[in-house]
Amino acid sequence: MTVSAKPQPATRLQEPPEWDRPPLPPGCLAGHVAIVTGGGSGMGLAMARAIAQAGAAVAVVGRTQSRVDEGAAELKELGARATGLSAEVRNPSSIAAAFDRAEAELGPVSLLANNAGANFPALAETMSANAWRAITQIAIDGTFLCSAEFARRRIAAGQGGAIVNNSAQYVWSGFAGDAHSAAAKSAIVGMTRVMARDWAPYGIRVNCVAAGFFPHARAIGTDREPGYEDRLGTMIPAGRVGRMREFGWAGALMVSPMMQGVSGETLIIDGADRLRRQLMHPAFEEPRLRAEVWGTAP
Amino acid sequence: MSGWLSGQAALILGDGKAADVIADSFLAAGAVLVRNNVASDFAKICNAEQISAFMDSMQALSATPLSILVVADAAPAWQSAENITLASWQDTTASHLDMRFYAAAECARRWIAASRPGAILHLMGRDVLQGSAGSAAQVGSAAGVENMVKTLAVEWARDGIRSNAIVSRYVEMNGEAPAEGLRALGMLACYLCSDYAAYVTGCLMGVNEL
């Protein structure tokens, strides 16, 4: 079937409200203390900021002290109580020490946002064991170990709590050159369901936000020329890349009392990126022959 | 969630406790509400003129242009597959699948013509989507809705029209669902239809389906 008249492109792209109009009411998370791993920059910092915006005290946790300090300083500028803690999420002792320090400085930790992660393009046949472990251990082990530490403390205290995990929209499909992260992010969705079930009797909710393309200063490929993000947006059905505030707010919403009955669920926030499939495509290009393994931006 | 839906008008088609809760939540979030509880009437619609007239009648109930459509499941009628008559099969498909498409497409036509964004939310039971004995007609329709939600999300994304679904056991539990679960369902519906979820489309989400 042919289409006789080519419709004009639509331009009604929808934006979320600005940072100064958060969805959660002021004080919604007052009295809570949150640990946000990977919170020093990018998506983790967005989640930390959104949680702080709702009134929680936040411990920004990451590997690099200077970066978590910068993140914590940004939250303090909002008027939040915050601290930056260096920790290695693959190491249970380091995690326990971070929880101890967070509780000593801010009080009992009642919310956890698992954002620690990393990614880089790599063909599977050329990926070293170290490269595989670098990604899977941060995301899978890190999410598991931090969540388990959080749950042990909440159960011992006889208190509930809420966890939000950071996954990705490609967990249902994977994509070439990303075996490590595709596996890791899928594991996080699975763990979300199981942990929600394990800890439901203790009043601990566990949910997940599966994100699409949310470029940030430290993301691979986003340090290019001006207008690069706009060109990335043309790839996505919604017509734009994700805004950090809408990702952060989604995470804050999931740990908030407003979603008190929600657990074991994954919210996909990707502008329909994962659904962008046509019956006809350009010829398939073998990943190992591509100029860039993940493909070339428009 | 006060103000999440300020300035918006929502049409809720179908009935049931979950639809009632969403209606209450939308009102609390500042939306203007139009409801049509008689899903069976809508199921008899079978051409463009009828659906257009129906939407005209719904729009006439609100001075604010409709910008949100919620379609709830019709009540299930369990029957073993070998006993389902052609008429019963077609009735089920009409009420569970066809009417959802007709309503969504008509709203989208209007929103595109008016250059206005919109949000569509389908409400479905979890068991009917997962498949259980005696529900062949509903399961076929529900699976159709699942992929329709995703397809329409892509088709209308550049028009600013979002297409999502809540798939929950609380829909099927109707009046026996726990208050906390229903409250969460209402909150989730408000979020998915609000500007805060501007980047959420093609998503099917549960409430607490453990």
Side-chain angles (χ1 to χ4, degrees):
Chain A
M1 188 177 76
T2 56
V3 177
S4 56
K6 188 174 182 180
Q8 293 301 305
T11 55
R12 290 178 290 282
L13 307 183
Q14 298 304 298
E15 294 284 350
E18 295 297 331
W19 266 117
D20 62 357
R21 285 186 51 215
L24 294 176
C28 179
L29 295 179
H32 285 279
V33 174
I35 278 186
V36 181
T37 71
S41 62
M43 300 172 81
L45 180 57
M47 215 176 263
R49 182 173 176 174
I51 290 170
Q53 209 176 23
V58 178
V60 177
V61 173
R63 267 185 294 187
T64 309
Q65 187 66 52
S66 59
R67 193 171 301 146
V68 294
D69 285 344
E70 287 172 17
E74 188 173 317
L75 304 187
K76 287 175 183 171
E77 285 177 14
L78 298 173
R81 288 200 303 142
T83 187
L85 302 174
S86 172
E88 169 56 69
V89 298
R90 293 171 287 190
N91 181 331
S93 301
S94 180
I95 295 166
F99 271 79
D100 286 342
R101 282 182 288 159
E103 298 201 331
E105 289 189 43
L106 303 174
V109 176
S110 54
L111 308 174
L112 172 65
N114 287 306
N115 283 282
N119 202 359
F120 55 82
L123 291 166
E125 70 270 24
T126 64
M127 192 184 299
S128 69
N130 278 343
W132 170 266
R133 285 196 298 267
I135 301 305
T136 57
Q137 289 185 348
I138 291 172
I140 303 176
D141 297 6
T143 297
F144 170 74
L145 294 170
C146 289
S147 299
E149 181 68 30
F150 173 85
R152 278 192 291 270
R153 290 171 186 246
R154 298 310 289 170
I155 292 167
Q159 301 284 325
I163 299 172
V164 62
N165 295 323
N166 177 334
S167 184
Q169 46 89 358
Y170 49 80
V171 295
W172 292 276
S173 61
F175 67 96
D178 201 51
H180 43 12
S181 180
K185 293 295 190 180
S186 212
I188 289 171
V189 170
M191 278 194 291
T192 296
R193 287 194 299 268
V194 173
M195 289 173 175
R197 197 183 290 272
D198 281 354
W199 298 330
Y202 306 103
I204 298 171
R205 298 186 299 112
V206 188
N207 290 292
C208 183
V209 179
F213 226 118
F214 285 77
H216 55 87
R218 293 182 50 78
I220 291 173
T222 52
D223 54 346
R224 305 189 190 192
E225 69 277 12
Y228 183 67
E229 280 194 16
D230 290 340
R231 289 198 288 117
L232 290 178
T234 65
M235 301 188 301
I236 295 164
R240 63 173 174 85
V241 297
R243 309 302 183 205
M244 281 300 174
R245 57 190 184 277
E246 58 195 344
F247 173 79
W249 284 335
L253 191 64
M254 297 307 279
V255 298
S256 79
M258 297 184 78
M259 292 293 166
Q260 185 58 42
V262 179
S263 195
E265 300 297 330
T266 295
L267 171 71
I268 310 164
I269 177 167
D270 74 337
D273 186 24
R274 77 196 182 287
L275 302 173
R276 199 191 74 153
R277 184 185 187 284
Q278 300 170 184
L279 201 56
M280 301 296 174
H281 294 273
F284 181 76
E285 188 179 14
E286 285 184 52
R288 66 179 63 87
L289 299 179
R290 295 174 187 169
E292 297 181 68
V293 175
W294 283 353
T296 305
Chain B
M1 64 177 173
S2 176
W4 282 11
L5 301 178
S6 290
Q8 306 231 44
L11 170 61
I12 300 181
L13 297 177
D15 51 15
K17 185 64 178 174
D20 293 344
V21 167
I22 288 177
D24 291 343
S25 300
F26 277 14
L27 286 172
V32 172
L33 204 63
V34 176
R35 287 201 67 175
N36 184 293
N37 289 328
V38 191
S40 57
D41 284 353
F42 193 86
K44 293 171 187 165
I45 291 173
C46 58
N47 62 45
E49 290 73 22
Q50 288 173 341
I51 179 63
S52 181
F54 175 82
M55 281 299 171
D56 283 344
S57 69
M58 294 295 101
Q59 181 59 76
L61 299 173
S62 167
T64 306
L66 295 170
S67 53
I68 296 170
L69 170 68
V70 177
V71 190
D73 238 345
W78 306 109
Q79 194 169 24
S80 191
E82 72 278 13
N83 296 323
I84 299 174
T85 64
L86 176 61
S88 173
W89 174 270
Q90 289 177 335
D91 281 350
T92 302
T93 305
S95 60
H96 287 258
L97 176 60
D98 296 357
M99 71 94 126
R100 290 178 184 272
F101 173 73
Y102 295 149
E106 179 63 20
C107 283
R109 276 191 290 271
R110 290 168 183 240
W111 293 334
I112 291 168
S115 296
R116 284 202 312 268
I120 299 168
L121 180 67
H122 293 274
L123 197 58
M124 293 197 292
R126 179 193 65 180
D127 289 348
V128 88
L129 190 60
Q130 290 182 343
S132 54
S135 60
Q138 288 92 343
V139 168
S141 298
V145 174
E146 178 182 23
N147 230 11
M148 182 187 79
V149 164
K150 296 174 184 174
T151 299
L152 299 182
V154 177
E155 205 159 313
W156 296 330
R158 290 291 170 102
D159 296 301
I161 298 169
R162 297 183 296 108
S163 166
N164 292 297
I166 294 176
V167 182
S168 176
R169 61 196 169 114
Y170 297 141
V171 174
E172 285 148 338
M173 291 168 76
N174 210 352
E176 295 175 5
E180 183 182 75
L182 287 171
R183 179 178 167 277
L185 188 149
M187 289 285 184
L188 191 57
C190 284
Y191 169 71
L192 290 173
C193 293
S194 76
D195 290 343
Y196 293 107
Y199 210 53
V200 181
T201 189
C203 179
L204 288 91
M205 194 172 166
V207 177
N208 184 335
E209 313 308 321
L210 301 172

